[in-house]
Amino acid sequence: MGVALAVRNTSRITGSYSIAALKKLAARVCDGEGVPGDVEVSVLFCGDKAVRKLNKQYAGKDEATDVLSFEQSGAFPTGTARHLGDIVVSLETVRERCGGKVRAMREEVQLLFCHGLLHLLGYDHGGDKDKAAMWAAQARALKTLGLADIVIRE
């Protein structure tokens, strides 16, 4: 199984993520969740203004948030990677949450990416049981990368 990432950063914030680390995390999550075949995920890093606009348009919430995910469904041509969907991360929110500390920002981005990817794989956290399952899946994936100390927030 292979994982391809299509990454775009429209924010002015740099150094807060590693594409190689995100790809490794995606492979671990997909492998751990039994995702078959090759997959692709699009990732957009942006600012609060852009994520707020998307959140209002697609979730009806007129506020910025840390991460959004948009699942892709439908048939895919045989022999091509299946596009799981899009993950949008606000680097402004990450920077604010982490006080501008680069290492903390990289870890936070990995947590948010993991969270978004699990949403693309069907996880949700609307109820207590679903939330517990999703948080456990995040913790398992992050632990495999030595990131077990990352605090998972609501």
Side-chain angles (χ1 to χ4, degrees), residues 50-133:
V51 82
R52 180 180 182 163
K53 181 177 178 181
L54 291 169
N55 202 20
K56 183 176 181 182
Q57 181 177 354
Y58 293 101
K61 298 178 182 177
D62 190 12
E63 61 190 19
T65 189
D66 50 7
V67 62
L68 294 170
S69 56
F70 301 95
E71 186 178 355
Q72 180 72 39
S73 60
F76 296 89
T78 304
T80 64
R82 181 167 51 110
H83 186 74
L84 295 178
D86 308 313
I87 298 171
V88 181
V89 175
S90 172
L91 291 181
E92 279 185 73
T93 295
V94 168
R95 181 177 59 195
E96 181 180 315
R97 191 175 279 170
C98 298
K101 296 176 185 168
V102 174
R103 180 180 173 156
M105 289 173 66
R106 284 178 171 241
E107 290 176 353
E108 182 73 9
V109 166
Q110 288 180 82
L111 168 64
L112 296 175
F113 174 77
C114 181
H115 185 89
L117 181 56
L118 287 170
H119 273 301
L120 297 182
L121 296 176
Y123 280 86
D124 198 2
H125 47 82
D128 289 342
K129 191 174 181 179
D130 290 339
K131 179 180 172 181

